[in-house]
Amino acid sequence: MLGYYFSKSFLSGPKMLWGLFWVNFLGTIYGYIWYGEQLVDTYETKPLWFLPFVPDSPTASLFFTAFLAWMIWDSRGRNNRAIGPVRSFVEAFAVITSVKYGIWAVTMIVVSAVQGDVMTWKDGMLVFSHLGMAAEALLYVMFYRYGVWAAAVASVWTLLNDYMDYGQGVYPWLPRVLADDLPDIATFTVILSLVTIGLAFIMMKLRRLSV
């Protein structure tokens, strides 16, 4: 019975797809609002082209929302196995960044709590939502169709984002207790990027073997 909830028929059902679509869509809006002050600060103090590198998690959920929209489109009988480069990139980007920032955000919250930062209900909500980001990206592995080039481009963007975050100072604002841990956080972030990039290529290989 439990296996049914991990089956293609359940995950591609309209109730599941629409439910996840709205959760991710609304979460994306909240995420960009959450980054609002940092976006304004970046706009006022740094070059304009820095802005896309500021909101990490909401951009990841935005791309996963787009993937879900395509899944809904497919479920209405408009399924085409040959997908274009845009959709392929969206899928690869969604996989890498959703897993990466889902794990990253939870890790930062837990580490800051261990170092004495006071946890609030918002932190609990963020832990739950970011764990969900990582889980849903892995859950839909059987539906992705992205190719090598899309994964490569998404990988380059992910590593460029790390450089912009920690080389140019547009990393997500952190609790004060983590201020002296910034070099370690930067190293952890890059390692996490490499792990999730590797995972995206492994998932692509496993999908092809299962076809």
Side-chain angles (χ1 to χ4, degrees), residues 123-181:
D123 293 311
M125 181 264 296
L126 289 172
V127 166
F128 179 79
S129 62
H130 282 82
L131 284 176
M133 279 179 57
E136 65 184 5
L138 296 173
L139 197 60
Y140 277 81
V141 58
M142 67 188 81
F143 297 100
Y144 301 133
R145 306 180 205 165
Y146 62 84
V148 173
W149 286 108
V153 173
S155 300
V156 170
W157 174 272
T158 301
L159 293 172
L160 175 61
N161 199 107
D162 290 345
Y163 167 74
M164 293 300 297
D165 278 357
Y166 300 99
Q168 299 298 324
V170 294
Y171 56 87
W173 287 347
L174 298 165
R176 292 181 181 177
V177 296
L178 297 182
D180 58 345
D181 297 317

Side-chain angles (χ1 to χ4, degrees), residues 74-109:
D74 289 347
S75 69
R76 294 185 174 184
R78 300 170 175 86
N79 188 8
N80 183 357
R81 296 302 301 175
I83 67 173
V86 173
R87 177 172 176 177
S88 187
F89 171 74
V90 167
E91 289 186 358
F93 187 94
V95 171
I96 294 172
T97 58
S98 293
V99 176
K100 172 189 172 180
Y101 292 118
I103 296 173
W104 184 92
V106 173
T107 303
M108 293 304 106
I109 293 171

Side-chain angles (χ1 to χ4, degrees), residues 23 46 49 59 63 93 101 104 129 131 178 184 190 209:
V23 167
K46 298 183 182 298
W49 62 270
T59 301
F63 275 67
F93 187 94
Y101 292 118
W104 184 92
S129 62
L131 284 176
L178 297 182
D184 293 332
V190 173
L209 291 174

